Amino acid sequence: MAVQRTFSIIKPDATARNLTGKITSKFEEQGLRIVASKRIRMSRLQAREFYGVHKERPFYDELVEYMVSGPVVVQVLEGENAVARNREIMGATDPSKAAAGTIRKEFAENIERNSVHGSDSPENAANEIRFFFSDTEIVG
Ligand code: ADP
Ligand code: MG
């Protein structure tokens, strides 16, 4: 498997509890390199578009409000098999089902306030990276 890039968000529940460094360390300790990172306040429009795939789900409006409720850190992670690797490091969406040692098991508050987003396929990773970063902001 070649070196790959994936997209990550440290979500508002985690920035509120000052967990940016601890979460970033999990990526670095497990072989992913942060090749781009910025702390932003997502607009409602951005959040609605970013999570557009979930717009028919009952939790969509609440999810959008949560994502704009505080700062987030958007990042590009690089490494071998980075998309799947990051999903392993994050753990299951529902923290009560996440494996020991994963970010969500250690830090998530509940199924919505689950501390991190990570792309679920290489295609989505490319689209999500482009949604938040220009090429010159990514330094490998
Ligand atoms: P993942 O982030 O693990 O890829 P999904 O893509 O299914 O999970 O969902 C996107 C985000 O929507 C989740 O990370 C979580 O913040 C929120 N979410 C998912 N399922 C629920 C739910 N049943 N109730 C509330 N929020 C949810
Ligand atoms: Mg998802």
Side-chain angles (χ1 to χ4, degrees):
M1 176 53 82
V3 171
Q4 223 176 32
R5 285 178 176 172
T6 191
F7 176 72
S8 169
I9 306 177
I10 302 176
K11 293 181 175 180
D13 71 274
T15 60
R17 287 175 291 145
N18 215 15
L19 293 170
T20 297
K22 281 193 174 140
I23 289 173
T24 299
S25 289
K26 290 268 194 196
F27 299 137
E28 292 184 337
E29 281 162 6
Q30 291 174 80
L32 296 179
R33 185 174 292 272
I34 317 298
V35 295
S37 185
K38 58 186 175 189
R39 184 176 173 101
I40 62 165
R41 189 76 182 243
M42 229 186 258
S43 72
R44 199 163 272 112
L45 202 66
Q46 274 179 314
R48 292 185 77 80
E49 188 174 341
F50 184 76
Y51 278 121
V53 64
H54 295 305
K55 64 177 182 294
E56 306 304 334
R57 310 277 288 275
F59 57 80
Y60 174 69
D61 287 343
E62 197 186 291
L63 174 62
V64 167
E65 290 312 304
Y66 156 60
M67 290 302 290
V68 304
S69 69
V72 299
V73 179
V74 290
Q75 297 181 313
V76 181
L77 314 181
E78 186 179 86
E80 285 287 319
N81 204 14
V83 172
R85 189 84 197 91
N86 182 40
R87 296 292 303 195
E88 286 170 13
I89 296 167
M90 289 162 60
T93 308
D94 181 349
S96 71
K97 297 184 180 135
T102 60
I103 290 170
R104 283 166 164 172
K105 185 67 176 185
E106 283 191 24
F107 301 125
E109 295 183 329
N110 55 49
I111 193 170
E112 177 185 75
R113 302 172 63 84
N114 59 4
S115 303
V116 278
H117 164 84
S119 309
D120 60 7
S121 70
E123 296 71 29
N124 285 341
N127 291 335
E128 292 174 1
I129 289 169
R130 208 172 311 117
F131 191 75
F132 284 102
F133 290 99
S134 62
D135 285 348
T136 54
E137 292 178 302
I138 305 169
V139 183

